[in-house]
Amino acid sequence: MSGVSALHSEILKDRVFNDFYKIYSSKFCNVTNGIASRRWLYQSNPRLNNYIKELIGDGFMHDMTQLQKLMDYKDDKQVHEQLAKIKLANKQDFAAYIKEHTGQVIDPNSMFDVQVKRLHEYKRQHLNALHILALYNEIKHNPNHNIQPTTFIFGAKAAPGYYMAKQIIKFICSLGQMIENDPQARDILKIVYLEDYRVTLSELLMPASEVSEQISLAGTEASGTGNMKLMMNGAVTIGTLDGANVEMYERLGDDNMFLFGLRANEVEELRRSGYDPQRYANEDERLRRVLQRFNSGLADGKSYADLVSSLLYGGDQYMLIADFASYVECHDRLYDKLRDKREFARMGLVNIAESGIFAADRAVREYAQRIWKI
């Protein structure tokens, strides 16, 4: 039995199939998932793929671990500048597509902060929305704010019968409309909710992405292969130690990845000791203002009191309230770092260089050697 990441394998052993593991521990192993790397680099991002070939040759096309040769250029300013130009061109392509198909105008010079994955409470798209509303409140209440112009991009599918998922989608769209109608905020913040999110649209988005949101609650195993695709295209991850984020962090460290929130063991300990989301909310003025806006409704008059109730009085199963302050603080650090385009390009280069281990080729080889014995 194999998990899709090292953490998932531990969850299977420790929780899901613990009794079976105690009897047949030899039947459990881990093979971390991989992505179709040639599709997500060669096919989706030809500008970047061709430039990598100029730098290190084309051997990586058959052996993605050769991407590590890019580390020879991690301090090369000319390479940083060229990577920044490639990223901007990809962002311009994505912005042109959005304008053509939706009429929505987005600024390619803004930061593209991306969360694309199935819509579910444990993937915590509403934590992202809480942060955006906190930024909006800051713009409205602090004339001296220094907020990085950012385009927040969401893409997801959700089951039509999943009420809370639909409420989260409605809230994100309502928030986006309120910001768009506010002259004080619309040149600083923008929300794009991608309709009919699919692979072909993802192939356009991944090369344009700069910040990868992998913010599921630690221990829920909700950060899988999307984070790998974004990493391979040079996006910088903000995330919890969940899923494949753990293995990414082992390779990237604090200099090239931004971690926040509770660790899996801390989540379990907080549950055992008695988690009280109201206490966290009472101690955080910024969070309290955000929840009040959820409750009272946005500019369209719609109230999302049910979302607030699920967080404050429904137990906050996925601990958004507990992780909120850490999430906001981590964004502040990330955006401060990424104001320097060269520094962002350097971090992007390191992410690309370390992404080869997440290619499907490696995963298939591991299956062949360790499980199929061929």
Side-chain angles (χ1 to χ4, degrees):
M1 184 173 294
S2 172
V4 298
S5 75
L7 177 63
H8 191 218
S9 294
E10 294 306 309
I11 292 172
L12 292 177
K13 291 189 290 186
D14 296 342
R15 293 189 231 159
V16 182
F17 299 114
N18 182 252
D19 291 341
F20 190 78
Y21 173 70
K22 289 175 181 177
I23 301 171
Y24 298 109
S25 60
S26 63
K27 294 183 181 294
F28 287 74
C29 69
N30 174 71
V31 177
T32 296
N33 265 0
I35 59 173
S37 49
R38 281 169 287 279
R39 177 172 200 166
W40 294 105
L41 186 58
Y42 169 73
Q43 180 175 315
S44 302
N45 199 345
R47 290 187 182 98
L48 178 60
N49 191 82
N50 291 338
Y51 186 54
I52 292 173
K53 283 197 288 187
E54 289 181 28
L55 294 174
I56 64 171
D58 62 2
F60 73 95
M61 296 289 292
H62 306 284
D63 177 10
M64 283 289 168
T65 61
Q66 291 191 29
L67 287 172
Q68 285 195 318
K69 294 178 180 179
L70 288 171
M71 293 298 284
D72 292 341
Y73 299 94
K74 69 175 183 177
D75 298 317
D76 189 317
K77 292 183 179 180
Q78 287 187 325
V79 172
H80 298 168
E81 289 173 358
Q82 185 59 31
L83 288 173
K85 289 177 182 178
I86 289 170
K87 182 64 72 174
L88 178 59
N90 290 335
K91 292 168 68 180
Q92 290 168 337
D93 286 349
F94 181 78
Y97 175 92
I98 292 299
K99 183 177 181 181
E100 179 183 355
H101 288 84
T102 71
Q104 195 168 9
V105 177
I106 58 178
D107 181 8
N109 293 303
S110 65
M111 186 66 64
F112 281 17
D113 187 313
V114 175
Q115 187 176 17
V116 286
K117 52 183 73 252
R118 186 166 53 87
L119 203 301
H120 197 291
E121 288 168 274
Y122 75 89
K123 295 179 185 289
R124 305 202 296 188
Q125 283 91 345
H126 45 334
L127 176 59
N128 194 343
L130 286 172
H131 172 240
I132 297 171
L133 185 50
L135 291 175
Y136 177 78
N137 285 343
E138 180 70 12
I139 291 170
K140 300 301 290 182
H141 294 102
N142 180 10
N144 298 315
H145 67 81
N146 186 26
I147 295 173
Q148 170 88 7
T150 304
T151 298
F152 294 92
I153 302 169
F154 293 86
K157 292 184 181 293
Y162 188 175
Y163 173 78
M164 290 303 288
K166 291 193 290 186
Q167 285 296 94
I168 292 168
I169 293 170
K170 289 177 182 177
F171 177 78
I172 291 169
C173 292
S174 293
L175 178 59
Q177 193 60 48
M178 181 176 74
I179 292 170
E180 187 64 25
N181 292 333
D182 189 335
Q184 191 177 351
R186 64 185 175 211
D187 292 332
I188 303 168
L189 305 177
K190 188 173 291 288
I191 292 176
V192 175
Y193 197 100
L194 301 172
E195 297 180 5
D196 190 22
Y197 184 64
R198 58 203 184 278
V199 171
T200 50
L201 183 52
S202 182
E203 288 178 320
L204 192 62
L205 174 61
M206 294 295 173
S209 301
E210 293 176 287
V211 176
S212 168
E213 297 273 351
Q214 306 297 329
I215 61 176
S216 50
L217 178 66
T220 56
E221 182 53 39
S223 290
T225 52
N227 53 359
M228 301 172 189
K229 297 166 189 172
L230 287 156
M231 178 186 184
M232 189 168 282
N233 281 277
V236 175
T237 298
I238 178 170
T240 55
L241 276 177
D242 185 50
N245 287 354
V246 177
E247 289 149 279
M248 288 170 58
Y249 180 68
E250 289 171 355
R251 290 164 176 80
L252 296 171
D254 290 322
D255 290 338
N256 302 292
M257 185 173 174
F258 293 81
L259 289 183
F260 75 94
L262 298 166
R263 299 338 189 214
N265 64 309
E266 294 171 333
V267 169
E268 293 303 315
E269 177 57 33
L270 185 55
R271 282 182 176 144
R272 282 194 297 268
S273 63
Y275 172 49
D276 181 8
Q278 294 182 57
R279 179 177 66 81
Y280 284 82
N282 289 335
E283 293 172 355
D284 189 330
E285 175 63 26
R286 180 160 48 180
L287 174 59
R288 195 158 60 249
R289 289 201 305 267
V290 167
L291 293 175
Q292 286 171 352
R293 289 300 300 266
F294 264 68
N295 230 354
S296 60
L298 304 181
D300 59 8
K302 295 178 183 176
S303 169
Y304 295 90
D306 49 357
L307 287 176
V308 176
S309 180
S310 72
L311 297 176
L312 290 182
Y313 312 113
D316 185 20
Q317 182 179 359
Y318 301 112
M319 297 189 176
L320 277 76
I321 300 299
D323 274 352
F324 176 80
S326 176
Y327 182 58
V328 171
E329 183 275 331
C330 193
H331 264 99
D332 292 343
R333 287 190 288 112
L334 183 151
Y335 290 155
D336 283 344
K337 197 90 174 261
L338 298 192
R339 290 178 194 280
D340 182 343
K341 294 298 181 183
R342 276 191 184 159
E343 174 61 10
F344 170 76
R346 185 202 63 76
M347 284 190 285
L349 182 146
V350 173
N351 272 264
I352 297 165
E354 296 291 349
S355 68
I357 193 68
F358 297 116
D361 295 1
R362 186 269 314 150
V364 171
R365 279 196 303 271
E366 285 194 41
Y367 269 102
Q369 295 166 2
R370 298 170 55 197
I371 299 175
W372 303 325
K373 308 296 183 183
I374 57 174

